Amino acid sequence: MKNIYKILIAFIGVLLVSCNADSVDERPVLNSVAAPEITAPTTGQNYVLDVEKASDEVAKFTWSAAQYSSTVAIKYTLLIDKKGGDFTAAKTLQSTTNSLTEVSVLGKELNQAAIDLGGKPEEAAQYDVKITANVAGSFSQVGKNSITISVTPYLGRVTYDFTDWYLIGAAVAGGWDNNVDTNHQPMFRDGKEANKYKFVGYFKAGNFKLISEKGSWASQLGKASDTSIEIKDNAGEFTIPADGYYTFEFNTTSLQYTLKAYAAGAIAATYSTVGIIGDATAKGWDASTPMVKSTFNAHVWTLGVTPLNDGGMKFRANDAWDVSWGGTTAFSGGGNGENIPVAKSKYVIYFNDLDGSYLMIPNQ
């Protein structure tokens, strides 16, 4: 009887293996019939990019459709690499869904790709472009041809017609040391009214004034009376009576100011980290780029010369979305969860987590 059971079990095993093999054999096989091929533009095209036309279309790329043994949805990706590169470090110019076979590329997109691949502003360099087809995220084929184009990128200069005022004195970070490398705290400029400035933060007992250029005493802003300011050489000093948090505001048009104690109950909890995040930043929306907390004021954060791309960004605390800040105005302002508009350049960035004020000074 045991032998009969052994034979029966063996027979069932052979049957199962046979069925599985048949199922595998019956699965449809997807074969490549024809690879996509770029049809326009032709190789040898020259693109001299203009910062004033960054949002204009500079090229339309088209290609023949990839063909497979079955009807499938295809995603195409247009890649660019420096001439002679193997495309392992290529940048994506555009991608399409729904099997579309053309894309428009904007000046700022081609410019960003060229810069990321080592291109130098105002210098022409050659790049290879090719198309790839992808089915269901796994079955890929590379286009049968690539084209070579010449791209002259722009630097990414941005117009910045504003005056920045820096606190200097015994009552503020950096003391009276007027050196270009001293970490002077700037005032936060209103995003919509450039004549209004504000700073909410920690002051020590003592005096201070403001300068508009680090390392120079040529332009000073100081106290003229209990309510008015003066902008001149050897301007008067403001006085802080005791260590603590204060709100300091002034208007360079009306020449009026206010300096008053900041309500102790309004001081927010401190954060272990604050960083920038967004498609304008190096890490995109995937991760924050950390800022540096002031050793003088636990609510002030800075980031040295930082390259940013065209796009948007926010500030957030503790590498999470529980607490975040934004704004609707470039360079300076404050707000809630809006994306701050950013133009490609290098910036020195300041942020105040007490009131969400930010200041982004282009440094090129």
Side-chain angles (χ1 to χ4, degrees):
M1 181 64 72
K2 291 182 179 178
N3 290 334
I4 292 175
Y5 283 136
K6 291 179 180 179
I7 294 171
L8 181 58
I9 291 171
F11 174 76
I12 293 173
V14 171
L15 183 61
L16 289 173
V17 172
S18 176
C19 290
N20 289 338
D22 290 343
S23 298
V24 172
D25 291 340
E26 292 172 1
R27 289 186 300 183
V29 176
L30 184 64
N31 294 313
S32 173
V33 175
E37 182 176 3
I38 294 177
T39 55
T42 57
T43 195
Q45 293 295 309
N46 182 33
Y47 299 96
V48 179
L49 305 179
D50 184 351
V51 66
E52 301 297 331
K53 300 178 180 178
S55 296
D56 292 353
E57 176 188 297
V58 293
K60 178 172 285 186
F61 288 82
T62 62
W63 55 89
S64 60
Q67 297 180 28
Y68 296 90
S69 55
S70 300
T71 301
V72 290
I74 305 170
K75 177 182 178 180
Y76 294 101
T77 303
L78 187 67
L79 299 173
I80 184 170
D81 198 359
K82 57 186 179 182
K83 183 173 175 57
D86 60 6
F87 283 85
T88 56
K91 303 300 178 182
T92 298
L93 281 177
Q94 285 281 4
S95 60
T96 72
T97 55
N98 301 322
S99 300
L100 296 176
T101 57
E102 69 174 28
V103 292
S104 293
V105 175
L106 306 182
K108 61 185 180 182
E109 295 168 338
L110 186 56
N111 189 82
Q112 186 65 52
I115 293 294
D116 289 345
L117 290 168
K120 297 181 179 180
E122 318 301 338
E123 292 186 17
Q126 292 190 313
Y127 302 86
D128 293 333
V129 181
K130 72 178 180 181
I131 190 72
T132 63
N134 182 280
V135 176
S138 58
F139 192 102
S140 300
Q141 60 174 323
V142 178
K144 65 170 70 173
N145 72 324
S146 64
I147 64 169
T148 300
I149 62 175
S150 174
V151 179
T152 304
Y154 55 80
L155 176 61
R157 293 186 179 92
V158 295
T159 301
Y160 188 77
D161 296 326
F162 303 103
T163 298
D164 294 303
W165 290 101
Y166 298 88
L167 297 163
I168 188 168
V172 295
W176 287 107
D177 181 11
N178 190 3
N179 186 292
V180 292
D181 296 323
T182 302
N183 189 25
H184 296 294
Q185 172 64 50
M187 296 290 293
F188 291 96
R189 189 179 57 253
D190 187 276
K192 296 180 180 180
E193 298 183 68
N195 57 327
K196 294 182 177 181
Y197 296 79
K198 179 181 180 181
F199 177 67
V200 180
Y202 181 76
F203 290 80
K204 294 170 61 177
N207 295 344
F208 73 93
K209 60 174 69 175
L210 298 98
I211 54 174
S212 63
E213 182 181 351
K214 290 184 177 183
S216 172
W217 293 105
S219 180
Q220 300 179 26
L221 184 152
K223 179 180 177 180
S225 72
D226 289 342
T227 59
S228 64
I229 61 173
E230 57 186 6
I231 301 175
K232 66 176 187 179
D233 291 345
N234 199 30
E237 298 175 1
F238 301 96
T239 300
I240 299 294
D243 294 0
Y245 283 82
Y246 293 81
T247 298
F248 177 48
E249 298 179 81
F250 61 78
N251 186 313
T252 54
T253 299
S254 68
L255 299 182
Q256 298 296 298
Y257 84 94
T258 59
L259 176 60
K260 57 186 179 182
Y262 186 67
I267 298 177
T270 56
Y271 302 103
S272 58
T273 64
V274 166
I276 60 172
I277 189 169
D279 55 5
T281 71
K283 299 179 181 179
W285 290 107
D286 296 326
S288 300
T289 299
M291 302 185 74
V292 178
K293 181 188 289 190
S294 167
T295 57
F296 185 86
N297 183 340
H299 298 283
V300 168
W301 306 79
T302 60
L303 198 55
V305 179
T306 303
L308 296 177
N309 302 321
D310 291 315
M313 58 162 270
K314 299 179 183 180
F315 299 89
R316 69 173 185 172
N318 302 330
D319 294 317
W321 288 110
D322 296 344
V323 181
S324 64
W325 305 265
T328 59
T329 51
F331 305 122
S332 64
N336 297 313
E338 306 92 345
N339 287 352
I340 301 167
V342 179
K344 177 180 173 58
S345 187
K346 295 179 180 179
Y347 294 84
V348 177
I349 305 171
Y350 300 87
F351 178 70
N352 188 343
D353 68 46
L354 279 179
D355 63 356
S357 294
Y358 59 87
L359 176 66
M360 301 168 59
I361 303 174
N363 185 312
Q364 300 165 137

